[in-house]
Amino acid sequence: MTRKVQVAIDGPAGAGKSSVAKAVACAMGYIYIDTGAMYRAVAYRVLKAGLDVDTDAAEIGRLAGQLGFEFRDVNGEQRLFVDEEDVSEVVRTREVGNLSSPVSAIPAVREHLVAAQRAMATAGGTVMEGRDIGTVVLPEAEVKVFLTASPAERARRRLEQLRGRGVERDFDEILADIKARDERDSTRAVAPLKKADDAIEFVTDNMEKDDVVEHLVNIVRRAQENG
Ligand code: DC
C-alpha cells in the first residue's frame, strides 16, 4: 500500500518553484498549494480596505484571520478564491506583489495563514510551495525541497513569464525587485526564508525544468513506498 505524503517546496521568488510544484503535483495526482498567493491575497485585501502596512499591522492581522481561502480547480487550472472572490489574477500585479512582502512579515498574518495551510495539508497528497513550508508549516513533511537560482537567472525567467502573459517589463527593474524582496524575506524576524536542514537543495540555473521534476517525482514515489 502506498500512502500519499506531504511535499514541501521552498525557495526565493523566481527559482522555478511554481512550475516545478505544479508539474510534480500533476504527475502524482496531488493537490498543489501556492502559499505565496495567500500572502498576496492578504496584501490585495489590505489595498482594497485602504489600510497602511506601516501603521495598521494589528488591523491587518485581524483581517487575515477573517479571510476564507480556498484553492479550486477551474477547468484544470488551480485558482485561489478568497470569500468567493477569484483573486488569481489580481494577486499577480506588481503593486500587490511588492506589498505582500511587508504584509507577510506581520506575525499575526503568518499565524493565521500557517494554520490555514496546515489544515489544507493534513490528509497528505499535497505539494505546498512557499518560503517556510519545510521549516515552519510542515516540519514533518516527508519530502522537503529547496529550489534556488542566481538572481539574474530568476529575473530572466520572470521577464519571460510576464512576456508570456503579454506584460512588458524592464530587466533591471525586475532584478532590483527580486533582490529587494530576497533581502526582506531572508532577514525578517519571523520565519525568514531559509533551507530546512533536511531539505534537498537544487540550484536550477543550468537545469532543465523537466529534469528537476523527474528527479522529484522519483523522490516522492520512494517516500510514498517507504511510508
Ligand atoms: O512566492 P510569492 O512571490 O508569490 O510570495 C509573495 C510574498 O509572500 C513574498 O514576499 C514572500 C511571502 N511568502 C512568505 O512569506 N511565506 C510563504 N510561505 C510564501 C510567501
Side-chain angles (χ1 to χ4, degrees):
M1 252 293 277
T2 55
R3 184 182 58 101
K4 290 192 168 188
V5 299
Q6 293 177 335
V7 182
I9 302 188
D10 291 303
K17 294 189 306 282
S18 300
S19 57
V20 166
K22 275 184 209 161
V24 170
C26 181
M28 298 302 302
Y30 278 24
I31 296 161
Y32 163 65
I33 299 165
D34 174 7
T35 62
M38 295 168 72
Y39 287 97
R40 286 166 178 265
V42 177
Y44 163 63
R45 285 305 192 94
V46 165
L47 281 175
K48 213 171 154 182
L51 295 170
D52 182 334
V53 74
D54 292 323
T55 53
D56 304 326
E59 208 171 332
I60 294 171
R62 275 194 296 279
L63 172 75
Q66 288 160 2
L67 302 177
F69 299 94
E70 198 191 337
F71 286 98
R72 279 189 213 153
D73 190 306
V74 179
N75 301 324
E77 199 192 319
Q78 169 87 284
R79 303 194 70 88
L80 174 59
F81 287 79
V82 174
D83 299 332
E84 296 304 316
E85 179 185 358
D86 183 344
V87 298
S88 316
E89 311 294 340
V90 76
V91 298
R92 295 292 145 203
T93 63
R94 187 174 179 216
E95 190 183 19
V96 170
N98 286 339
L99 187 64
S100 66
S101 180
V103 162
S104 73
I106 299 173
V109 170
R110 301 204 72 83
E111 260 169 51
H112 291 299
L113 265 55
V114 166
Q117 290 154 13
R118 284 189 183 138
M120 290 173 184
T122 42
T126 40
V127 178
M128 190 174 283
E129 173 212 327
R131 302 291 192 288
D132 61 339
I133 311 307
T135 50
V136 176
V137 182
L138 304 174
E140 307 296 328
E142 289 86 345
V143 178
K144 294 185 188 178
V145 182
F146 197 77
L147 275 191
T148 59
S150 65
E153 173 63 15
R154 284 152 50 205
R156 196 190 60 72
R157 289 180 193 169
R158 183 70 29 123
L159 192 73
E160 246 172 44
Q161 196 182 48
L162 289 169
R163 222 169 245 160
R165 287 194 221 127
V167 181
E168 276 303 327
R169 284 269 308 278
D170 181 58
F171 176 83
D172 291 335
E173 198 179 82
I174 295 185
L175 184 60
D177 278 359
I178 283 182
K179 285 185 173 168
R181 202 122 67 86
D182 275 5
E183 174 68 16
R184 277 198 304 266
D185 292 345
S186 53
T187 55
R188 71 180 174 212
V190 195
L193 169 67
K194 86 176 196 319
K195 177 183 163 296
D197 292 338
D198 51 351
I200 312 155
E201 183 165 358
F202 289 90
V203 181
T204 63
D205 281 54
N206 297 310
M207 287 181 86
E208 289 295 328
K209 178 196 142 198
D210 289 350
D211 293 336
V212 178
V213 172
E214 193 185 319
H215 204 93
L216 271 178
V217 165
N218 285 331
I219 293 171
V220 177
R221 290 217 174 97
R222 265 205 303 278
Q224 281 197 156
E225 281 153 19
N226 293 338

